[in-house]
Amino acid sequence: EEYIVGVTRDISAKNAAESATLKAEHQAEESEARFRNIANSTSAIIYLADPSGNLEWMNQQSKMDDQVSARPFQFDWQKRIHPDDYNAFKRAEQIARKEKKSYNIEFRLRGSEDEYRWNQSYVNPIFEPSGELSGFVAIITDIHLSRSKHVRQLSRLNNELQE
């Protein structure tokens, strides 16, 4: 008499878990690709920084010239902030990091043609699900034309009042 001994093991739960993990990874990759595509399609400067303010990612617009493009994370773009605006910018950044809060500030930024232009920076903290600060996302938009228009209007109004 012969006997056959066999063992079966249900691996459907393991396969389902692996499938769910692969699906989640694929969705995360697609989401990141969409974000990068959107971020690189705008004229605004967008960057991600760690909790200490070190750059982790910049969009294409952030790479203002060949010097930045060649070594974007070694380049201190903040050196392009107008000297009269630098201290206020750094103060706002330090308070935001310390208090883990959003901030926005207007400042002049020197572009690739060595011309200062007015910009507005919107910076928001990014938190882990645990509540721990994981970094900041910043969007910097050029407001030079609208600000210049307002300054001209104020100047004109001031001249009219003085007459």
Side-chain angles (χ1 to χ4, degrees), residues 38-56:
I38 291 167
N40 286 326
S41 298
T42 182
S43 61
I45 295 171
I46 301 174
Y47 68 87
L48 300 174
D50 69 16
S52 298
N54 301 309
L55 292 177
E56 293 183 333

Side-chain angles (χ1 to χ4, degrees), residues 9-39:
R9 195 160 128 199
D10 185 358
I11 60 169
S12 56
K14 178 184 172 197
N15 288 343
E18 287 175 0
S19 177
T21 299
L22 288 174
K23 184 177 179 180
E25 288 173 358
H26 180 72
Q27 288 174 336
E29 288 171 3
E30 283 182 343
S31 177
E32 184 173 336
R34 277 192 304 274
F35 165 76
R36 288 179 192 267
N37 189 19
I38 291 167

Side-chain angles (χ1 to χ4, degrees), residues 35-36 39-40 42 44-49 53-78 136-138 140:
F35 165 76
R36 288 179 192 267
N40 286 326
T42 182
I45 295 171
I46 301 174
Y47 68 87
L48 300 174
N54 301 309
L55 292 177
E56 293 183 333
W57 181 84
M58 300 180 341
N59 70 339
Q60 294 299 316
Q61 183 64 18
S62 300
K63 299 169 184 166
M64 298 175 218
D65 57 34
D66 291 338
Q67 184 181 12
V68 179
S69 296
R71 48 188 183 82
F73 299 107
Q74 298 170 7
F75 181 80
D76 185 3
W77 67 269
Q78 292 182 3
F136 291 90
V137 60
I140 302 173

